[in-house]
Amino acid sequence: MSPLDISPQRGDAGDGIGGRPPRIDGLAKIRGEAAYAMDQPVEGLAHAVLVTATIAAGWVRGIDRTAAEAAPGVLLVLTPGNTPPLHAASTWTGEAPPTSEYRPLEPEIRHVGQQIALVVAESLEQATEAATLLRVDYEAAPFLADFTVPDAGEGQDLPPLTIERGDADTALASADIRISAEYGTPREYNVPIEPHGLTARWDGDALTLWEPSQWLDGMARNYAEWFGIGFEQVRLISPYIGGGFGSKALALPHGAIAAQAARMLGRPVKLVLTRPQTFTAFGGRAATRQLLELGADADGHLLAIRHRGWQETSRNGLWVEPLNAATALMYEVPHLSSRQRVVPVNTVTPSAKRAPGENPSAFALECAMDELAYALGQDPLALRLRNEPGRDPHSGKLWSSRRMREAYAAGADSFGWARRNPTPGAMRDGPLRLGWGMAAGTYPVRRSAGEAMVRILADGGVEVASSTSDMGTGAYTILAQTAASVFGLPLARVRVTLGDSTLPRAPVSGGSQMAGLMTGAVDKAARAAREELIGLALNDPRSPLRGVANTLAVAEGRLIAPRGEAPPLPIAELLTAIGRDRVEALRDTLAENGLKPEDRYRAFTTVSTMRAPTDGEYSMHSWCAHFVELAVDEALGSVRLRRIVTAFDAGLLYNPRLAESQIKGGIVMGIGQALLEGGIVDRRHARVLNNNLADYLLPTHADIPPIEVISVGEPDPHASALGGKGVGELGIVGLAAAIANAVFHATGKRVRDLPITLADLC
Amino acid sequence: MRDFAYHRATTLEQAGPLAARAESAILAGGTTLLDLAKCDVVRPAEVVDITHLPGLADIRADAESLHLGALVRMAAAMRHVAVRAACPAVAQALALSASAQIRNMATLGGNLLQRTRCAYYRDPASFPACNRRTPGSGCAAAGGVTHHHALLGTSEACIATYPGDLAVALVAVGAVIEIGTRWMPAEDFFLLPGETPHREFALEPGEIVTALCIPASAASRRSAYLKLRDRASYEFASVSVAAGLELAADGTIADVRLALGGVATIPWRLHAVEAALTGRHPTPATLREASLLAMQGATPRPDNRHKLDLAPRLVHRALEQLLQGDAA
Amino acid sequence: MPPTAHAAAPAAAPPAALPQGSPVPNRPITLFINGHDHVVMVEDRTTLLDALRERLHLTGTKKGCDQGQCGACTVHLDGQRVLACLTLARQAEGSAIATIEGLAGADGTLHAVQAAFLAEDAFQCGFCTPGQIMSAVACIREGHAGSEAEIREYMSGNLCRCGAYPHIVAAVQRAAAALPSEASS
């Protein structure tokens, strides 16, 4: 079940931090033995199916449950009319709820797909059929289908995102060269292949949840508050997560109603969203629009950027996708004006999808830089180098590290950028026009506190435990490597247990922060355990090393006297000698993050103590440069990628093999964003029509070209304990712009609304 | 899925009457039936599994024709040397369909009978109006999002696109459908929606497609299938074309066969383009002008207008490829 | 599915009492899985996927979409890769079913494709991985692993949202070098 007993091959750079060992959870995954939440065998399970609204706004006047309740095997039918309220929970940012009650089934409808009933039956087949038998009486109300409909208006200003640096309007007016363009991104969905779902079981007042989770502590807190029980009474178990990309960090309404049903029934209940329901039960990336004006002098020095952004949110929730996240950061610009507005419409509240903010921000900015390069008659890469900022132009702080020039150089060199003919349409391969495009990306270093237990066992092996989770990031492996480094052990001697809310605390695995902060926590705990071990070896009366040496080192599972005063002593022998079965240390990194012990609960169960990238002396970010070659069939408009080279600076890579995989994964998702993905809204009904995997197009194998990724990072001691910066989100940032720029280079057509399809290019 | 009873038929004589019952549905590969049952579009009370019927999974070729049993799986037909030789367009259409897994499951007969991907048709809970599903209920697609909807063969009642690839190739090369003891040209097998979009195929209750037959012809032997789509694989056609060509000794076009997919309510034979090419020398100008006739009579919508240009270009490309194949 | 379904009744009416009697909800069938017979209670409408996962607790085979659109439920039926979500359990009676759980040797020796997936880091979250591996085994056997382009096309029925595609292709190439393929007819 857990990857504890796996012996991976030794990596080519060793098993410690910076080595390339294969995933230690890999064997369980390739054997089909890794038990994801929905794979857990639970005795006495009942199966639930969610019923969702088919109107966009209005009220459920009533639901006739008669036929459903009479259907074979049906155990319970929950509707707004027969479901007791829960307690309202505080938000993930730590704010108190505005109301005292939370109703997971509400009569008021605010979007298509909102959950309105739950049917529980003995079998999944029975629940599925019975769910079709409910008769819902609606009272429909007017709605706003999306932010393009005239009635949606301009929305509300978001003052915290306003930036006024210098005088952008005046600077633009006097600029030699100006470009102005509007860029759009559609609703994009996370679409992990594992659908959201859970099994909930009550034992008295204790609630056990098997649910995929990017944030066990945060979700456990939310469930505890909903049900008015203690945090310790909730146990959330999520050893493996079938992808999340931001969508599995929060407790969601379907979780509330499933747990509610389990409590009412006195039986464990399993609810898995259908694939179509995954498009409306939680939000993906908000649709966005950005108006960008860039002004430069004739040499290509940026003088001013004027940026206006609009994004969707829901009628009953505010999600902010910060559209100037990259705009304010990437280039040396004396004058910047940025405003953002948020437009409420009848949709599910949007949420985090890989690189919220940076992703759409970089799409617009990096396309605009390409447009400016053409307006100037300059090479797009040269234009970027000309405007490379020496320090963070927004905060004024020095970069902790910004190896952007190195990334440009390494990427351009490997790609062969110097051979590019800049004239659109000039590079050809038979009937195909080739496009070479590039763009840059960035993602901030976010920091929270972490906590880990490291335990030295009597057999000399080491255990690491934390409630953090591994959704494919490689957490199991890099945390094992961290401990292996401290003890000089082969990876096979390190066991890692994650994904259980009863383990030591961890904050959200989001914002690309997990690896940096959890390796720090494990390193700290491991060093503490090592110190205690050495102390015992030096001081315990039964220790063979007592009085032999003044200091000891630990390597290869042994205690070593530095001047050879005694033969190396295996840890196991020491523990036997001193009569201990373990030496363990539980450590957190609250203090390093400026927190106190009383901040502990808040630090791990909300994001209220997460530190900004400029909190401290430096401005800290990861960086990347993408280079893309594609071919466009001029007559038919089809775009096929040929190769991608991405050079990136994410500081030290704890395990380059796994980090490279994640960067490539971000690139693949960026390919989908650029060419395939987007929610298609029928505005007559405010309904996303392509709510399935045949119509919402994810990239397939055939869409993906060879991808080369090059790390140019060096350890950044300011960014994290071991010198790494964020990896998980970086690869997607700027990729869509590189593709759009390559499409322009191939065709001379500037497509500013994603995705770029046949209809745009034929 | 609603509850149903599963029957495994072992003879055609047994299967027919079972399939003729009012609430029964025939199950072959299952890739359409179970999908639509899960969408609640079809609600059979009985399912008749015909995949164990004997004698319907043969592939035979002789001088006159290529015979494909209706229960031949797509993958088997796609790989078969006789199919590749007799009609490359069919082999290519199959290879470009769905995924390897679905091609292992789906049968040729079932593939012909696949239903439209119209999002409004596939979601009865959200869109009660669908003349194809429920005669007289209206059409939710009209006035909706129609970038995948048909431009050709539409009616007031229905604008849903026929999604298949194989049928397009079969219609182009003049294949014949065997239904038990009767035969019918593939072109007649698919019914225009007209006022009765719920009648999609020329099949009576209980009738089972038993074989597909492709008459041997030079144009079939020299044929190709091109499929255009945004995703590089595993997507239905935005536009597709099946083309077959026979040149006379003098270099003129003796026979040409063309059909379009992805743009019409049924597999769409391009008689006008064929007529404009037959007997002519295949000069670039002739090919281009004839191809422009492909979308004659089309009724575009704002979000599928681009297909007016795409389809003729794809026809042109297919003809060029067949001619280049000759040069090579 | 939501409630207005009745207003949209298709040509076939909802199931009513049949002349030959209502279907029996659960009946035992025998499925031959990974070399062993398993007796399992299923409804006639139970898919092979739900039979494996919910009734036999063979949960290595994953449900990603339940609509034949993602490939996560890929298993082998008589040696052919198929989608368990669009196969009725009863259709699979009498066939040899192979799932990810049966791929490694009885002694635990990994199949060459499994070993290659580990070596190439051909997965991240691991959820699509059993389907990718079952598909890859068949892809190689079918003789469709001749080039990177061919592998990509013939593996395109298996979606991977983590974007492990380049590494999966490398893993298939690595395994193909070690495995025989059937000559295509």
Side-chain angles (χ1 to χ4, degrees), chain A residues 23 29-31 36 39 125 129 131 134 136 189-190 270 275 657 661 664-665 677 693 699 701-702, chain C residues 1 3 43 45 53-55 62 64 69 108 114 119 121 123-126 152 155-156 161-162 165 167:
Chain A
R23 291 169 198 274
K29 287 177 174 175
I30 59 173
R31 288 174 174 279
Y36 296 77
D39 301 339
E125 291 84 359
E129 178 169 3
L134 291 180
V136 184
Y189 295 89
N190 304 63
K270 178 175 184 174
R275 181 51 68 179
R657 176 198 297 257
S661 287
K664 289 179 187 175
E677 297 181 39
L693 298 183
H701 276 282
Chain C
M1 282 281 110
E43 300 179 40
R45 61 181 162 177
R53 289 185 52 79
E54 301 296 338
R55 297 169 190 244
K62 303 301 184 200
Q69 300 168 348
Q114 289 174 309
D121 201 37
F123 54 91
Q124 293 177 40
C125 82
R152 285 191 200 112
M155 288 296 291
S156 278
R161 188 53 157 170
C162 294
Y165 292 131
H167 292 192

Side-chain angles (χ1 to χ4, degrees), chain B residues 1-8 21 23 27-31 34-35 38-43 45-46 49 78-81 95 99-105 117 122 124-125 128 133-134 231-234, chain C residues 1-2 4-5 8-16 18 20 23 43-45 47 66-71 74 80-83 85-88 90-91 93 135 142 144 153-154 156-159 184-185:
Chain B
M1 271 193 290
R2 308 298 175 102
D3 206 358
F4 56 69
Y6 169 91
H7 305 288
R8 188 181 276 194
R21 294 210 286 230
E23 295 164 4
L27 177 70
T31 55
L34 296 183
D35 176 38
K38 289 180 186 200
C39 294
D40 214 22
V41 170
V42 297
R43 301 169 183 177
E46 295 178 280
D49 182 351
M78 170 193 108
R79 281 197 292 264
H80 203 284
V81 277
S99 68
Q101 290 94 318
I102 290 173
R103 294 191 297 260
N104 279 338
M105 302 166 72
R117 300 293 304 183
R122 289 175 55 82
R133 252 185 0 238
T134 311
R231 192 156 79 172
S233 185
Y234 202 10
Chain C
M1 282 281 110
T4 51
L18 293 167
Q20 69 278 22
E43 300 179 40
D44 278 8
R45 61 181 162 177
T47 62
D66 209 26
Q67 295 179 292
Q69 300 168 348
C70 77
T74 301
Q80 304 284 311
R81 48 176 159 164
V82 301
L83 300 176
C85 76
L86 293 184
T87 303
L88 294 177
R90 297 212 48 199
Q91 277 176 288
E93 270 184 294
S135 200
E142 292 159 9
H144 289 138
E153 170 56 31
Y154 281 87
S156 278
N158 292 82
L159 301 181
S184 60
S185 53

Side-chain angles (χ1 to χ4, degrees), chain A residues 158-492:
Chain A
L158 288 171
L161 291 180
T162 296
I163 300 174
E164 295 293 348
R165 190 158 86 213
D167 181 352
D169 287 347
T170 305
L172 275 171
S174 65
D176 296 326
I177 304 288
R178 263 178 296 168
I179 64 114
S180 172
E182 191 168 316
Y183 304 91
T185 64
R187 294 180 192 170
E188 297 162 9
Y189 295 89
N190 304 63
V191 201
I193 301 298
E194 176 194 43
H196 289 52
L198 69 156
T199 293
R201 184 184 73 196
W202 289 87
D203 300 285
D205 282 337
L207 173 61
T208 304
L209 299 147
W210 290 268
E211 181 171 13
S213 175
Q214 294 179 235
W215 188 12
L216 287 100
D217 295 358
M219 286 173 63
R221 172 196 55 75
N222 198 327
Y223 280 103
E225 293 182 31
W226 274 341
F227 289 96
I229 57 178
F231 176 75
E232 308 294 338
Q233 285 171 288
V234 177
R235 183 178 181 193
L236 185 60
I237 300 172
S238 178
Y240 300 99
I241 306 162
F245 317 108
S247 69
K248 287 175 177 165
L250 303 178
L252 292 164
H254 67 268
I257 195 63
Q260 174 91 314
R263 187 163 68 169
M264 292 172 72
L265 265 181
R267 270 179 75 169
V269 166
K270 178 175 184 174
L271 168 65
V272 186
L273 298 181
T274 66
R275 181 51 68 179
Q277 287 171 347
T278 65
F279 288 79
T280 49
F282 52 90
R285 194 191 309 286
T288 76
R289 200 151 47 88
Q290 294 177 74
L291 178 62
L292 263 178
E293 293 172 79
L294 270 52
D297 68 18
D299 294 334
H301 296 104
L302 275 172
L303 298 173
I305 297 178
R306 189 171 185 276
H307 174 259
R308 295 293 179 267
W310 294 261
Q311 62 153 116
E312 287 184 342
T313 191
S314 69
R315 299 300 289 272
N316 61 322
L318 176 64
W319 170 261
V320 177
E321 181 93 16
L323 295 173
N324 60 20
T327 323
L329 197 68
M330 287 304 287
Y331 301 107
E332 186 70 57
V333 188
H335 304 280
L336 170 66
S337 168
S338 177
R339 302 278 178 85
Q340 184 167 334
R341 303 181 74 85
V342 62
V343 185
V345 299
N346 289 88
T347 177
V348 65
T349 308
S351 190
K353 182 183 171 187
R354 208 167 197 164
E358 284 77 13
N359 176 320
S361 180
F363 169 64
L365 177 67
E366 291 299 294
C367 286
M369 286 296 282
D370 202 67
E371 300 206 37
L372 181 65
Y374 275 93
L376 285 158
Q378 293 188 3
D379 176 76
L381 175 53
L383 175 66
R384 286 172 171 83
L385 287 167
R386 187 160 292 122
N387 290 284
E388 181 67 9
R391 60 173 63 210
D392 179 351
H394 189 49
S395 69
K397 294 182 180 183
L398 288 173
W399 307 112
S400 63
S401 57
R402 173 165 166 141
R403 296 180 58 78
M404 198 72 242
R405 287 182 186 278
E406 290 80 357
Y408 286 135
D413 182 55
S414 179
F415 186 84
W417 183 258
R419 298 195 306 274
R420 178 177 182 263
N421 179 337
T423 306
M427 296 175 74
R428 288 172 174 261
D429 179 2
L432 303 174
R433 292 185 183 238
L434 301 184
W436 285 18
M438 59 86 53
T442 182
Y443 197 80
V445 175
R446 304 186 194 280
R447 290 155 296 163
S448 304
E451 183 182 59
M453 165 75 83
V454 173
R455 187 175 288 138
I456 305 164
L457 301 173
D459 67 359
V462 169
E463 275 184 4
V464 174
S466 166
S467 70
T468 197
S469 60
D470 187 337
M471 56 174 164
T473 53
Y476 279 113
T477 310
I478 60 171
L479 298 184
Q481 288 176 261
T482 306
S485 277
V486 172
F487 294 102
L489 278 175
L491 216 48

Side-chain angles (χ1 to χ4, degrees), chain A residues 580-644:
Chain A
R580 293 279 293 260
D581 65 352
R582 63 179 65 180
V583 172
E584 64 184 31
L586 175 68
R587 290 292 183 277
D588 63 51
T589 61
L590 291 168
E592 290 90 323
N593 286 278
L595 300 167
K596 298 183 175 64
E598 55 266 33
D599 296 323
R600 182 181 157 75
Y601 182 67
R602 194 165 56 93
F604 296 122
T605 64
T606 74
V607 295
S608 60
T609 64
M610 184 186 275
R611 299 169 69 197
T614 51
D615 177 4
E617 204 175 333
Y618 296 95
S619 181
M620 305 192 287
H621 309 263
S622 293
W623 311 98
C624 67
H626 303 290
F627 297 83
V628 167
E629 177 178 326
L630 50 75
V632 180
D633 187 315
E634 196 182 6
L636 304 177
S638 66
V639 182
R640 295 291 178 254
L641 287 157
R642 292 201 156 188
R643 61 196 178 101
I644 295 177

Side-chain angles (χ1 to χ4, degrees), chain B residues 220-237:
Chain B
S220 173
R221 284 189 295 275
R222 183 181 186 172
S223 63
Y225 187 79
L226 303 188
K227 183 171 178 178
L228 190 60
R229 46 190 168 177
D230 281 302
R231 192 156 79 172
S233 185
Y234 202 10
E235 190 190 2
F236 293 91

